[in-house]
Amino acid sequence: MTMAIVGATRHSTPSSSPSVRLPPSRMRLVGMGLGLLFVALLGRSIYLQLVKQDFLQNQGAARYSRSIQLEAYRGVITDRNGEPLAISTPVQSIWASPADMEPVPVDKINQLARLLEMDPGEVSRKLADKRREFLYLKRQISPELADAVMKLGIPGIAKQQEYRRFYPAGEMMAHVVGFTGVDGRGQEGLELAKEKMLAGKPGSRHVIKDRRGHIIEDIAAIERPRDGQTLSLSIDRKIQYLAFRELKTAVENFKARAGGIVVLDTHTGEVLALANLPSFNPNNRQRLDPSMKRNRALTDLFEPGSTLKPFTVARALDLGIVRPDQVFNTESYTIGPARIKDSHAASSLAVWEIIQKSSNVGSSKIALLMQPQTLWQMFDEVGFGRPPQSGFPGEASGRVRPYKTWKPIEQATMSYGHGISLSLMQLARAYTIFTNDGELKPVSFMRLDQPLPGKQVIRPDTARKMRDMLMTVTQPGGTAPRAQVLGFTVGGKTGTAHKQEGRGYAASKYISSFVGFAPATRPRLIVAVMIDEPQGQYYGGTVAGPVFSAVMSGGLRILGVEPDAPTNNTLIPLDNLPEVREETWSAR
């Protein structure tokens, strides 16, 4: 029984199969294939490791690593005494990486939108755009609000520190300092002109994110930000406040369309104050009328009227064509079809009286004693027709036509400021030839350690004679007794010009101006005032003269300038003083 079973078992066990041997040619073929495959894999590995290493590393890093910009602290802008005019305060911005985010629950979307004061639909659309790896949801919010957003715990939402610009002087300094945009870059004024100096250089850092979009910050710093430099302006904040206040009062009192004022240091050409109206608050520009951004004192052009008469007389004096006491017939006369006349009854005036009483007839006759090129050179040498190169963006060059095109009537009217256009800054700068013994000073918005070299335009003795003549304008019989300053001698010139309208002149729209300096015996300040379209009164001495007086009086005292008038000097009573009216355009 047992044997049978064993035998059966042995019988059922199959016999061992003989080993299969491939033909040698096939074995070689398989070996070559495996070898080629190994070589290809090895070559591909070397190619990826050596040739494509940077690309692959970047692709890998892009899936978990981000480089975030670190904002540089924008430089502070100060006045000449270190008072801040523009500073940066830290704020937060909320950003997201939609490409790495999972769908956000509706209730979280609503909470996020409520905190950021956004429409929930808008937030949903932004976060659903998987093509975007970075986008801002809200910029420049308070740190407290940013913390509240982060407490929502939404993966892929992060905060980033930025800086927001704040302007302590508000509308008073808006046209000088300008402002920055939401990205922190200068858009107007000196913020734009000195962008490179103020902006500094941003830095960057690495952040790591997980697969759900959570950001792990401060992993590695790549480059530290380099903060911007401090910009020290020539502006004196106290004088600026005074100038803005007095200009605003005049514009409101005369219901004027606009106004501008410039205050220069006669020694250095530094701009101590510059103000315009209308103005705006640079800290709140949500409803800003673009016209309010114009720095009218530098960009707007106007016909200066009689404020140009001193330059005509100065050139004639400098060349020895006239003398201060030389008398001219000032009765009306004609040039072609046009008649030039004065409103006062004087039949003759000395040269100094032509300045004091602002005679169009006298000024035009002096101009016609010179060749057109001679008068044109005077205008060119004091900077008319060219930008004043103050460093301010957008400054206007004005317009002086080539002398070869002048007709006699045009030469006559240009002598008293018609047919020529310039800015208030150009006019103020030109008057430095009278305060610096004939030397034209460059103007600057930057505080200077040393005065910049100027250019001699007229002889020193001519400048002194002109100062004496200009002093008579604020005395009895002159056109600007309201420009007097208690305790100081004052020199200056009024201007009253019809406004250009279309191809002609508006009958009842005027530009009223006054440019002057004090103390007249040793000038320290130049103040130029322009009022655009005053209502009611419109003569320069009446409208702009009082603004000059108030600003000059306060400015001299702020600077500690000693009075140069006699100790018993008092202001001339104005109540009963007969007004000498400024001549306007009268070639008819």
Side-chain angles (χ1 to χ4, degrees):
M1 181 81 173
T2 303
M3 291 297 293
I5 296 172
V6 171
T9 302
R10 288 177 178 176
H11 184 267
S12 63
T13 303
S15 60
S16 301
S17 302
S19 60
V20 179
R21 293 180 177 276
L22 295 175
S25 59
R26 184 173 295 181
M27 291 182 63
R28 285 194 297 273
L29 185 62
V30 171
M32 289 176 61
L34 292 174
L36 289 173
L37 181 61
F38 175 76
V39 171
L41 291 174
L42 180 62
R44 179 65 175 172
S45 175
I46 294 173
Y47 172 76
L48 294 177
Q49 289 293 324
L50 299 180
V51 179
K52 287 288 187 177
Q53 181 181 23
D54 293 340
F55 171 77
L56 294 174
Q57 287 181 344
N58 291 337
Q59 288 296 308
R63 287 160 172 77
Y64 67 86
S65 175
R66 289 286 184 273
S67 180
I68 295 181
Q69 180 172 290
L70 299 176
E71 294 292 330
Y73 183 81
R74 191 173 180 86
V76 176
I77 301 178
T78 72
D79 80 339
R80 65 185 304 105
N81 300 310
E83 292 291 329
L85 301 175
I87 57 177
S88 294
T89 56
V91 291
Q92 297 287 338
S93 290
I94 301 298
W95 62 275
S97 179
D100 305 313
M101 296 176 66
E102 297 179 356
V104 182
V106 175
D107 62 325
K108 291 289 187 180
I109 291 285
N110 292 336
Q111 293 178 52
L112 178 62
R114 185 169 60 253
L115 286 173
L116 298 181
E117 297 181 350
M118 297 174 66
D119 179 64
E122 181 185 1
V123 175
S124 296
R125 285 191 298 273
K126 287 186 174 183
L127 297 183
D129 186 359
K130 298 301 181 181
R131 298 170 299 176
R132 304 286 298 275
E133 293 188 353
F134 180 92
L135 62 84
Y136 283 111
L137 289 177
K138 194 81 169 185
R139 301 189 70 176
Q140 297 190 353
I141 63 176
S142 67
E144 294 78 14
L145 180 56
D147 291 340
V149 170
M150 297 310 298
K151 287 180 181 179
L152 295 177
I154 302 176
I157 300 291
K159 66 179 181 178
Q160 176 178 324
Q161 178 170 289
E162 293 184 317
Y163 294 96
R164 182 179 181 180
R165 209 63 163 164
F166 176 65
Y167 302 96
E171 63 177 355
M172 181 179 79
M173 285 294 303
H175 292 109
V176 175
V177 176
F179 55 83
T180 60
V182 70
D183 59 357
R185 296 180 181 177
Q187 292 188 342
E188 294 285 345
L190 294 175
E191 288 273 32
L192 173 61
K194 299 297 180 180
E195 169 66 20
K196 187 174 181 180
M197 176 182 179
L198 291 167
K201 184 178 180 181
S204 57
R205 70 180 181 191
H206 272 317
V207 297
I208 305 299
K209 64 173 186 175
D210 62 17
R211 66 182 183 84
R212 299 189 63 189
H214 289 106
I215 303 299
I216 305 173
E217 300 185 7
D218 299 324
I219 297 303
I222 300 175
E223 184 179 0
R224 293 182 177 276
R226 187 177 71 239
D227 293 338
Q229 303 175 50
T230 296
L231 181 63
S232 181
L233 302 187
S234 59
I235 298 292
D236 186 306
R237 184 167 173 171
K238 293 179 180 179
I239 299 177
Q240 177 73 20
Y241 169 77
L242 181 63
F244 183 81
R245 184 190 69 189
E246 296 302 323
L247 180 67
K248 186 175 183 180
T249 299
V251 168
E252 291 175 350
N253 288 346
F254 291 100
K255 298 180 174 58
R257 179 172 176 267
I261 186 169
V262 174
V263 181
L264 298 181
D265 186 317
T266 62
H267 296 165
T268 63
E270 292 172 298
V271 182
L272 298 182
L274 184 150
N276 297 280
L277 283 171
S279 188
F280 64 95
N281 183 358
N283 298 305
N284 183 8
R285 305 188 301 274
Q286 294 180 351
R287 298 181 180 179
L288 176 60
D289 184 343
S291 66
M292 293 184 176
K293 296 189 297 184
R294 294 210 316 265
N295 190 337
R296 298 171 185 271
L298 276 161
T299 64
D300 284 16
L301 302 176
F302 66 100
E303 290 194 347
S306 297
T307 56
L308 249 62
K309 288 174 182 172
F311 301 99
T312 301
V313 173
R315 178 46 52 101
L317 281 173
D318 209 49
L319 297 177
I321 296 174
V322 298
R323 305 181 312 276
D325 59 352
Q326 185 174 338
V327 177
F328 281 80
N329 184 329
T330 52
E331 294 178 351
S332 65
Y333 71 107
T334 60
I335 301 178
R339 176 169 291 275
I340 296 181
K341 61 182 180 179
D342 293 335
S343 60
H344 52 71
S347 60
S348 63
L349 294 172
V351 170
W352 68 269
E353 291 176 307
I354 289 172
I355 292 294
Q356 181 191 38
K357 300 184 183 300
S358 195
S359 170
N360 288 348
V361 174
S363 177
S364 63
K365 286 188 173 182
I366 293 174
L368 293 172
L369 293 176
M370 297 180 278
Q371 292 295 320
Q373 183 178 2
T374 302
L375 186 58
W376 178 88
Q377 285 178 335
M378 181 63 177
F379 293 156
D380 179 68
E381 288 173 1
V382 296
F384 300 155
R386 288 178 290 157
Q389 298 182 335
S390 65
F392 198 92
E395 58 184 10
S397 59
R399 182 171 180 265
V400 182
R401 295 200 314 277
Y403 63 88
K404 292 182 179 180
T405 68
W406 289 7
K407 298 177 182 178
I409 184 61
E410 293 171 329
Q411 181 173 342
T413 58
M414 271 190 268
S415 74
Y416 51 85
H418 289 273
I420 180 173
S421 62
L422 45 83
S423 69
L424 190 63
M425 177 63 80
Q426 287 176 300
L427 186 59
R429 183 197 178 203
Y431 267 69
T432 62
I433 69 170
F434 304 129
T435 62
N436 289 281
D437 287 342
E439 182 183 357
L440 180 71
K441 285 289 186 180
V443 292
S444 174
F445 280 96
M446 304 299 108
R447 183 176 181 181
L448 303 176
D449 295 327
Q450 295 291 332
L452 298 175
K455 179 181 70 173
Q456 199 73 29
V457 176
I458 56 177
R459 297 195 308 268
D461 65 313
T462 301
R464 289 190 286 271
K465 290 175 182 177
M466 289 305 306
R467 287 204 298 269
D468 291 339
M469 292 186 197
L470 291 169
M471 286 173 61
T472 67
V473 173
T474 62
Q475 296 171 0
T479 57
R482 287 174 173 79
Q484 301 167 77
V485 176
L486 180 63
F488 295 90
T489 57
V490 173
K493 187 69 190 73
T494 52
T496 308
H498 284 275
K499 285 191 68 174
Q500 286 183 300
E501 194 169 68
R503 294 187 176 183
Y505 291 87
S508 58
K509 295 180 181 179
Y510 299 88
I511 295 286
S512 304
S513 58
F514 184 86
V515 188
F517 48 85
T521 57
R522 40 182 172 78
R524 178 61 194 279
L525 293 180
I526 292 174
V527 177
V529 184
M530 183 274 293
I531 307 295
D532 186 4
E533 292 188 26
Q535 303 301 308
Q537 296 287 341
Y538 55 83
Y539 290 109
T542 305
V543 177
V547 180
F548 167 91
S549 176
V551 175
M552 181 62 79
S553 176
L556 292 174
R557 284 163 175 78
I558 288 171
L559 296 177
V561 178
E562 293 184 1
D564 68 333
T567 55
N568 61 349
N569 173 262
T570 59
L571 292 180
I572 302 168
L574 301 177
D575 295 338
N576 300 317
L577 184 68
E579 182 178 35
V580 178
R581 294 186 175 182
E582 173 71 28
E583 299 298 337
T584 60
W585 168 267
S586 58
R588 294 289 187 268

